[in-house]
Structure formats: structure tokens, C-alpha cells
Amino acid sequence: MVKFKLIEEWQNFWKLWSLRFTSMGTALLGYIVASPDAIRNAWQSLPDDVKQYIPQNYLMYITIGLFVLGMFSRVVKQEQLSKPKEDDGTNKDNQQ
């Protein structure tokens, strides 16, 4: 059986950029799948001069980019999450 271990600072998982990018990608992909007509209508409502600068399947590229950013950001150290916490006396490991 596989034994899972939580990462350090797991309580702050919602601050991790990898989770943020993956969540945005998942939400955007869900929107694309759930309402393709809304995306088509939004595309058609754009002025022609704006459309020529934006690829037609732009949202799919953004979605893929968010997932790629999520993968790479997982290996980047986030300094604000890895700073040692000051001992306020509540850490049971340091109590004797």
C-alpha cells in the first residue's frame, strides 16, 4: 500500500502558486466544456480589429498555459511560505 506524506507547510496549501494555477486552469477548462456557446458568443461580440490580434482558440492556450505554469511553479521555492516561524510556545515538539 502506498503511504502518502504531506508536504511541509501543508496548512498553507491554498497559498501555493501551483495550486492557484491549476485551479484557474481547471475552472477555465470547465467553463469551456460547460458552455462552448458562451465562448462563441463572446468571440463574435468582439470587434474585428481585436479579433485579428487574438487567436481564435485563445482560451485553450490560456488553459494549457495555466497547467504548465502550475507544474513549473511547484518546483519553485516560495520564500514567504518557507520562512521559519518564530517559536510562540505553541509548538509541541519544542516543549519538554
Side-chain angles (χ1 to χ4, degrees):
M1 185 167 181
V2 177
K3 185 174 181 181
F4 291 100
K5 249 185 160 175
L6 295 176
I7 61 171
E8 292 180 24
E9 300 294 328
W10 66 268
Q11 299 91 342
N12 295 321
F13 76 95
W14 54 276
K15 293 181 181 179
L16 295 171
W17 281 105
S18 58
L19 181 80
R20 292 177 182 182
F21 286 132
T22 305
S23 298
M24 288 187 286
T26 303
L28 189 55
L29 185 60
Y31 181 73
I32 291 170
V33 170
S35 56
D37 292 336
I39 295 167
R40 190 175 307 116
N41 292 339
W43 177 258
Q44 291 173 351
S45 68
L46 290 173
D48 288 334
D49 56 335
V50 174
K51 288 182 193 179
Q52 68 183 354
Y53 293 108
I54 301 173
Q56 193 167 3
N57 47 355
Y58 190 65
L59 288 177
M60 188 57 72
Y61 292 134
I62 291 174
T63 304
I64 292 168
L66 289 171
F67 283 116
V68 170
L69 283 172
M71 288 187 306
F72 286 115
S73 67
R74 187 63 190 109
V75 297
V76 174
K77 187 173 185 177
Q78 291 179 248
E79 292 297 329
Q80 62 268 43
L81 295 181
S82 60
K83 290 181 184 173
K85 293 184 180 179
E86 294 181 19
D87 188 12
D88 59 0
T90 59
N91 189 350
K92 294 178 183 175
D93 293 336
N94 292 338
Q95 293 178 354
Q96 296 177 4

